[in-house]
Amino acid sequence: MKYLLGADFGTTSLKMCLFDENGKLIVSESAKYNLITEGEFVEFSAEEFYQVFLSVIKRITEKYPVYAMSIDTQGETLIVLDKENKPLTNAIIWLDNRAAKQAKEIEEKFTVKGIYELTGQAEIPAGYPAPKIIWLKENRPDVYKNAAHYLLLEDYIIYRLTGKYAASRSLYSSSLLMNVKTGEYILEMLDYLGIKESQLSTLYESGVNVGEYNGVKVMTSALDQIAGITGAGVVKEGIMSETTGTSLAVSVLTDKLPVWHKELTVSAYYVKKGLYALLMWAPTAGATLEWFKKNFCESDDYATLNEFAESVPKGSEGLICIPHLCGTVMPENNAKVKGVFFGATLKHNKGHFVRAIMESIAYTIKEYADYINADVKEIRSMGGGANSKLWCEIKAEVLNKKVITLKENETACLGSAIFAGLGAGVFSDTISATEKIVQKNKEYMPKENGYAALYTDYKDKEKKITEIYK
């Protein structure tokens, strides 16, 4: 049996899971770390990133013979090394917004349409690597002048483990440095930034062997979100994933880059040549239910709230929740939008409010699926919301699709383990690998769809709210 290690470097924690080649979880370990924040600056020591990695992997390799590993990471975190391969500054985390002015300059130079058609990115945030490099040029000329290598987190860890400058094309999807169609660097962008391709890592497909660390084969992985959907079995068209955690994330694969238009807000991420992941998200999903529980049902646990909601008919007897407690991001970006409950009467109780919240998130998922015109046959449900039988049933009925939950919660780690096995020859391709090792937990089949009119009513109310706050 060959043990495959998947590591998931998140924003504030590292998780590692060791699986056998049948997808059975053998052991998991993790570590947390605190970012350095000051105003718009969000940083962390690059060396500490590596030391955290070593401390966690040591706990696993001391007990188990790891055959191969792969490391997915947060996107857009920039690390700059000098000619001695030492960090010139702290890692500039993806949340860092110091380069807002420089992001605007890129937009003026290339246009949003031009950037989208090159990179698949529908916006140009300050946290992306390209504007950060310009910021360094303008504000830290000492760093810019002595920069020998510009890396993201995956290639930095790979370099420290293997001595090779190598990264997955998936990770570089949101760097603004890579052409999403060809998987190669954009020379016009590099010229604009004043950097050379030799200062960047060699780009590979996910699941390619790029070296070894203490006898363990090291493979390229992917952007953490891509690793996550891979571990959920979303590796071909026709399957959509939704993660209802604090926020909501929805993703689907397509072989065609959507045509750009002025209202487009969905970015396309590289999966492999000719295959893209469309990712959509909302800032509040489970957070809306958590807010309601904390403020109005603190003595009730989530299982009790589910019981209350189960006794309420679909449509919550006219109570409609607009769940935008932190504004909207997609399909329309509007931070001013507020959350609302429509139609409250004396007959409505806690169960009505809980069910209305659940229905609103299902409506949001349908809105996203309709917006990207996703032709899907099934939905893989993840996050805390997947633990609620009622919520899964509501989603299945609202979208009129089969909803599947999974046995493994750490899908990003499993996705990276799949890439490790792919590069090591344990698996021949990701589709057969996921068919073998991604284990389904429960299936929820859509019943008679009684939500069509209710969804139309929801959309009407949501439109009125968004118009108020424009």
Side-chain angles (χ1 to χ4, degrees), residues 363-397:
Y363 295 150
T364 302
I365 297 170
K366 177 170 172 54
E367 180 181 20
Y368 287 1
D370 291 347
Y371 179 75
I372 58 180
N373 195 26
D375 182 17
V376 298
K377 297 178 177 62
E378 65 181 54
I379 299 166
R380 303 289 174 97
S381 185
M382 300 175 284
N387 296 322
S388 167
K389 175 177 176 289
L390 175 62
W391 213 340
C392 290
E393 290 173 343
I394 291 172
K395 291 170 183 175
E397 192 164 350

Side-chain angles (χ1 to χ4, degrees), residues 137-157:
K137 182 179 182 179
E138 296 176 353
N139 296 275
R140 291 293 305 274
D142 56 322
V143 172
Y144 181 83
K145 179 181 178 180
N146 292 300
H149 299 283
Y150 291 99
L151 309 177
L152 304 188
L153 185 52
E154 179 196 28
D155 30 335
Y156 176 69
I157 300 297

Side-chain angles (χ1 to χ4, degrees), residues 157-204:
I157 300 297
I158 287 176
Y159 167 72
R160 295 299 301 270
L161 295 174
T162 70
K164 304 284 183 63
Y165 289 109
S168 65
R169 290 186 170 98
S170 168
L171 180 67
Y172 273 74
S173 292
S174 53
S175 65
L176 304 186
L177 305 176
M178 187 195 79
N179 187 311
V180 74
K181 297 175 184 176
T182 66
E184 304 301 330
Y185 289 117
I186 303 167
L187 298 183
E188 183 183 0
M189 179 63 77
L190 302 192
D191 289 343
Y192 177 72
L193 301 178
I195 64 176
K196 300 176 181 178
E197 192 169 351
S198 60
Q199 292 175 278
L200 303 171
S201 295
T202 302
L203 298 177
Y204 295 93

Side-chain angles (χ1 to χ4, degrees), residues 200-238:
L200 303 171
S201 295
T202 302
L203 298 177
Y204 295 93
E205 296 294 285
S206 299
V208 174
N209 189 344
V210 292
E212 288 193 358
Y213 168 74
N214 289 349
V216 180
K217 302 177 189 298
V218 179
M219 316 300 167
T220 51
S221 182
L223 179 69
D224 52 4
Q225 293 166 309
I226 304 302
I229 65 175
T230 300
V234 183
V235 293
K236 58 184 179 181
E237 294 180 88

